[in-house]
Amino acid sequence: MPELFFAVCPRGLEVVLGQELRALGASSVTPGAGGAQFAGTLATAYAANLHSRIASRVLWRVGAGDYRNEADLYELAHGIAWEREFSPHQSLRVDITANRCPLRSLQFATLRVKDAIVDRARERGGARPSIDRVHPEVQVLAHLNDRSAQLYIDLSGESLFKRGWRADKGEAPIKENLAAALLMLAGWTPQRPLLDPFCGSGTIVIEAACIATARAPGLQRRFGFENLRGFDRKAWTSLQQQARAAINDRAPMQLVGRDISTRVIEIANSNALRAGLGSPLKNRSLVFEAADARVGEPPAQIGMIVTNPPYGEQSSPKSASVQAMVGDVAAQLKRKFAGWQVWLLSSDRKLPQQMRLRESAKTVLFNGALECRLFCFDMVAGSMRRQGAKERGPARPPAEGDAGSA
């Protein structure tokens, strides 16, 4: 019988994540608020951790049941055979998330779940796991709604957006999984020249290069499932070997990242080297260069821009300065980038007005807790008038409950 898992993702990307999981061989994929449930073997979950560019983490469901109070949660957690999955000598962290939970204190509920796990460990193994909230070897998550609880073991460990190559984030970065999602939503393929005129530490361009060269995003890091007793090292080694064999450093592509800061460009180049994208790419198909987006020339006759420009909530300049800059960038796009498709992620709903452009599409996304829109502009010579854009996605995120940890 297949195991059940839940892959967590940034809000607004649930459908894209579901498509990705199906492509990785997951079955019974059901997108929902904040992620997607799927079924498969533990090897399926290993593959999701290794290959998913969208997921934030992958959780393995090990128990579920109804509850009315904290005592019910204790009994539910105490009845799970945790000793099969990890040793009482390993460090542990327990977290609870909730939606419409009737309990007065999630912190107390978290303590009861933790007590149940360590009490069972002492009864069955003669020792209690130590609690480590910072670098635990095993992480357990309970999710509560108004009547039922589901308990999971976190198979990822650190969040999956941490690919293992970033040393310095630069100013106001977007996470790697959101960068990959922007490229997927934009429909970018390696055959199209790509420009990020506000590249910062290079996240979008590096993600594009990893996609083009078929680099699995999890090849340079460790995962939580490696600490579990049932870890299938043979299956995991096989997945890693297949992923390494699939890398194609000769894949044709034309990727350009630009930023006005020479220091930030140095950071982007260093990040690309750590991602394995340095010396093998001798044809200069991946370039980071210092340039002002207000006067920058297109690097190809026709291509695509995918970028996360500065906006008031995340940038040090005053809002008026940012708006003036955006207007100057729009003027340059109109002058020089006819034939290009431009995708901009912004929290400012008035961005199209500031650019004096009509968007052809917009999608609601979240950069952390910040509600944003991914605007698409089709740059053509002459008139820039467009029909009204269709907005995709919910205007508001699904409600999230409070959280506790122990």
Side-chain angles (χ1 to χ4, degrees):
M1 184 174 179
E3 302 285 348
L4 288 178
F5 306 92
F6 189 84
V8 182
C9 72
R11 290 172 290 174
L13 299 180
E14 293 89 349
V15 174
V16 177
L17 173 62
Q19 294 168 348
E20 185 183 56
L21 290 170
R22 292 186 189 96
L24 292 173
S27 60
S28 303
V29 178
T30 307
Q37 181 176 284
F38 67 98
T41 64
L42 280 172
T44 308
Y46 296 171
N49 276 281
L50 176 62
H51 289 286
S52 176
R53 301 185 190 277
I54 305 300
S56 299
R57 58 183 64 250
V58 177
L59 308 174
W60 175 23
R61 198 177 84 173
V62 292
D66 292 337
Y67 77 98
R68 292 176 298 174
N69 50 43
E70 292 86 355
D72 291 339
L73 291 177
Y74 181 95
E75 292 301 321
L76 176 61
H78 191 268
I80 295 172
W82 303 103
E83 64 276 6
R84 294 189 308 194
E85 312 307 339
F86 57 90
S87 161
H89 301 289
Q90 291 177 284
S91 59
L92 173 70
R93 172 174 173 147
V94 178
D95 292 281
I96 282 185
T97 62
N99 187 15
R100 302 188 306 275
C101 174
L103 302 181
R104 291 184 178 182
S105 170
L106 285 184
Q107 188 65 34
F108 182 59
T110 304
L111 290 173
R112 294 305 290 151
V113 172
K114 182 265 295 181
D115 289 344
I117 297 172
V118 298
D119 287 352
R120 179 170 177 126
R122 186 190 63 239
E123 295 162 7
R124 303 299 175 101
R128 290 170 61 99
S130 61
I131 301 301
D132 186 339
R133 298 184 182 183
V134 181
H135 299 294
E137 294 172 278
V138 178
Q139 298 185 64
V140 171
L141 173 71
H143 179 73
L144 312 179
N145 61 25
D146 56 346
R147 290 184 298 178
S148 65
Q150 300 184 73
L151 285 93
Y152 300 90
I153 292 178
D154 183 349
L155 298 180
S156 300
E158 281 199 304
S159 180
L160 295 179
F161 76 82
K162 297 181 179 181
R163 314 292 204 214
W165 52 257
R166 185 189 294 281
D168 192 326
K169 297 180 180 179
E171 181 188 359
I174 63 171
K175 291 181 173 64
E176 289 81 342
N177 56 347
L178 179 56
L182 299 184
L183 293 164
M184 293 182 188
L185 290 168
W188 175 80
T189 63
Q191 292 72 39
R192 299 186 71 175
L194 177 72
L195 168 64
D196 181 355
F198 300 97
C199 73
S201 55
T203 308
I204 292 174
V205 174
I206 292 172
E207 282 295 307
C210 290
I211 292 170
T213 56
R215 271 180 166 76
L219 266 178
Q220 295 186 208
R221 52 162 288 166
R222 288 181 55 83
F223 298 92
F225 58 74
E226 296 178 71
N227 296 326
L228 300 180
R229 280 180 160 170
F231 172 48
D232 188 340
R233 187 171 297 278
K234 182 178 180 181
W236 175 234
T237 300
S238 177
L239 285 168
Q240 289 178 305
Q241 290 173 342
Q242 293 172 32
R244 291 191 180 99
I247 295 174
N248 178 15
D249 281 318
R250 298 183 179 274
M253 57 186 177
Q254 186 174 357
L255 310 176
V256 178
R258 293 173 178 167
D259 197 279
I260 199 168
S261 167
T262 55
R263 183 188 67 84
V264 168
I265 289 298
E266 291 174 0
I267 293 171
N269 275 311
S270 297
N271 285 338
L273 284 170
R274 276 186 292 274
L277 300 166
S279 57
L281 304 176
K282 297 179 181 179
N283 58 357
R284 298 288 291 168
S285 57
L286 170 61
V287 177
F288 289 106
E289 56 191 16
D292 189 332
R294 294 170 292 189
V295 295
E297 297 284 331
Q301 184 174 0
I302 294 178
M304 179 180 286
I305 289 175
V306 179
T307 191
N308 176 41
Y311 34 94
E313 290 85 353
Q314 65 165 179
S315 183
S316 56
K318 298 295 183 181
S319 180
S321 300
V322 173
Q323 292 178 15
M325 179 274 296
V326 167
D328 292 340
V329 170
Q332 181 69 355
L333 292 175
K334 295 171 188 176
R335 284 192 298 265
K336 298 290 186 177
F337 285 79
W340 281 64
Q341 193 174 65
V342 179
W343 294 79
L344 304 180
L345 180 69
S346 178
S347 65
D348 191 344
R349 300 187 188 188
K350 296 182 179 179
L351 180 70
Q353 297 172 242
Q354 296 166 13
M355 299 181 72
R356 296 186 178 180
L357 291 171
R358 181 68 63 84
E359 70 272 25
S360 58
K362 57 184 174 183
T363 305
V364 179
L365 297 175
F366 288 83
N367 187 359
L370 193 61
E371 182 178 319
C372 297
R373 277 155 181 73
L374 179 61
F375 294 101
C376 176
F377 304 99
D378 297 309
M379 307 307 299
V380 298
S383 172
M384 299 304 299
R385 287 179 294 181
R386 289 286 182 275
Q387 294 181 354
K390 296 181 179 180
E391 180 168 331
R392 298 175 294 191
R396 295 290 176 189
E400 285 193 337
D402 298 327
S405 65

